Amino acid sequence: GAGVSQSPRYKVAKRGQDVALRCDPISGHVSLFWYQQALGQGPEFLTYFQNEAQLDKSGLPSDRFFAERPEGSVSTLKIQRTQQEDSAVYLCASTLSGASYNEQFFGPGTRLTVL
Amino acid sequence: QQQVKQSPQSLIVQKGGISIINCAYENTAFDYFPWYQQFPGKGPALLIAIRPDVSEKKEGRFTISFNKSAKQFSLHIMDSQPGDSATYFCAAGQGTYKYIFGTGTRLKVLA
């Protein structure tokens, strides 16, 4: 079966533009996560969904960041009025359920460059 | 208290050698410690994980050693191969979703 897919794989935006990043989790996976990975760093948690419910958004760096998963499958991370410090790889991961100790399967990421 | 400190930042090992990467955490509430492997342009992939009720877990050439009292854990790659050249991340979670990742170790195995 297919893994987690993300699109676009690369996005270049001018400072101030809005961007939308898409994540298609593994079919049937209940939980979905977004991470931000700066160059040379480990992934940092942004937000977590269980089905369509956003249970934790404590990692979102500012109110310019918004994530949704309206039907409990595909998720979109939106960044408004992008800034240069938003340049990073945005990773999406999914797990089968919200139970403990389930492996998080990561997508390939979207590399965002803000000029 | 949420940090996970990882060392070394980079590591060069000869083929057939042992690669050792270390991590330390502060939050005693963490109870799940996965290691992820990441190749350039790819997302991280789970390599091996441990819970603190055991001191060691081995899967093939990969072993996690866990020291609960010292709040440290390490990854040992035995018989390292050029195909193991990648970036390795340790992580810690509170039995659930919110992993805290280390800063990564870039491993290069020389042929």
Side-chain angles (χ1 to χ4, degrees):
Chain A
V4 178
S5 61
Q6 294 186 244
S7 61
R9 291 293 315 277
Y10 304 92
K11 177 69 178 178
V12 178
K14 292 183 179 178
R15 188 163 57 96
Q17 282 186 329
D18 298 348
V19 298
L21 313 179
R22 176 188 169 105
C23 172
D24 284 82
I26 294 173
S27 178
H29 277 197
V30 168
S31 299
L32 184 145
F33 313 80
W34 283 98
Y35 290 87
Q36 181 189 59
Q37 185 174 24
L39 187 64
Q41 299 296 314
E44 289 194 6
F45 172 84
L46 293 177
T47 187
Y48 161 63
F49 289 86
Q50 189 163 324
N51 294 306
E52 69 278 5
Q54 189 175 20
L55 300 185
D56 188 338
K57 55 181 181 179
S58 62
L60 296 176
S62 77
D63 58 7
R64 297 186 294 103
F65 287 71
F66 173 75
E68 61 183 5
R69 194 187 184 198
E71 297 178 359
S73 56
V74 171
S75 178
T76 303
L77 176 67
K78 298 179 180 179
I79 309 173
Q80 297 177 326
R81 305 181 305 281
T82 52
Q83 303 295 315
Q84 285 189 324
E85 62 262 27
D86 300 334
S87 296
V89 174
Y90 291 85
L91 295 164
C92 174
S94 69
T95 69
L96 185 59
S97 77
S100 299
Y101 316 121
N102 280 306
E103 176 181 354
Q104 292 190 19
F105 292 87
F106 281 83
T110 294
R111 181 178 296 276
L112 172 65
T113 302
V114 181
L115 303 177
Chain B
Q1 199 180 21
Q2 290 293 334
Q3 276 190 318
V4 175
K5 296 181 180 179
Q6 183 172 348
S7 63
Q9 191 172 12
S10 62
L11 183 60
I12 299 175
V13 173
Q14 293 288 338
K15 179 182 176 181
I18 302 174
S19 305
I20 302 174
I21 305 170
N22 301 297
C23 284
Y25 64 98
E26 298 171 351
N27 188 346
T28 55
F30 290 144
D31 65 354
Y32 185 63
F33 302 89
W35 284 89
Y36 278 81
Q37 180 188 56
Q38 185 175 30
F39 292 103
K42 306 290 186 183
L46 181 67
L47 197 59
I48 186 173
I50 197 168
R51 292 176 59 181
D53 51 349
V54 297
S55 60
E56 186 175 281
K57 183 175 181 180
K58 183 175 181 179
E59 290 184 0
R61 296 185 295 109
F62 302 93
T63 300
I64 299 179
S65 297
F66 186 84
N67 186 329
K68 188 174 180 178
S69 60
K71 292 184 284 186
Q72 295 176 348
F73 58 110
S74 61
L75 174 70
H76 294 234
I77 306 174
M78 312 300 286
D79 187 26
S80 299
Q81 299 297 312
D84 297 331
S85 297
T87 300
Y88 293 80
F89 293 97
C90 62
Q94 201 166 328
T96 180
Y97 57 92
K98 202 167 182 176
Y99 292 167
I100 307 298
F101 282 84
T103 50
T105 296
R106 183 172 292 185
L107 171 65
K108 184 172 179 62
V109 181
L110 301 176

